[in-house]
Amino acid sequence: FLGAFRVYPVQTILAAMAITITWAYYFRMIRSIFWGTLDPAMEHLTDAKRFVERFPLVLLVAMTFFFGIFPSQFIKVIQSGVIPIVSKMEVNVSGLAKMENINEHGRIER
């Protein structure tokens, strides 16, 4: 945020406020899910006890650990789609910069 604050102070403050509000709502939701009162209509339901019921959770945990330890496997997939888009954007921005006298911060110099 420090680099963005110098160039876009209002947008950076709004983004920080949005992140804070999102964080508050997220943790409020988590609190109500895990420590909230149980709906009487749901009392007859049980937790996942068989392997088939727990398999999606096990798979999610395994993939989280795998990509947390070896993120390059996931980054390679993302880069294959992002690199062509960024290269097109760089061509457009450099062409625009030559035409409009845009400085390194993206603002038009007069």
Side-chain angles (χ1 to χ4, degrees), residues 7-41:
V7 181
Y8 304 108
V10 174
Q11 292 91 334
T12 305
I13 291 170
L14 290 174
M17 288 173 41
I19 289 170
T20 304
I21 291 169
T22 302
W23 173 84
Y25 276 111
Y26 175 75
F27 282 107
R28 181 178 174 197
M29 176 194 67
I30 294 296
R31 185 186 68 197
S32 68
I33 288 172
F34 288 107
W35 294 283
T37 58
L38 182 62
D39 186 6

Side-chain angles (χ1 to χ4, degrees), residues 5 32 53 94 107:
F5 187 76
S32 68
E53 296 170 339
S94 64
R107 296 188 177 170

Side-chain angles (χ1 to χ4, degrees), residues 1 3 7 9 14 28-30 38 42 55 57 61 65-67 69 72-74 80 83 87 89 100 106:
F1 285 114
V7 181
L14 290 174
R28 181 178 174 197
M29 176 194 67
I30 294 296
L38 182 62
M42 303 294 174
F55 182 71
L57 178 63
V61 169
F65 277 113
F66 178 77
F67 287 122
I69 295 170
S72 64
Q73 302 301 317
F74 193 60
S80 67
I83 288 175
S87 64
M89 290 173 61
E100 296 286 340

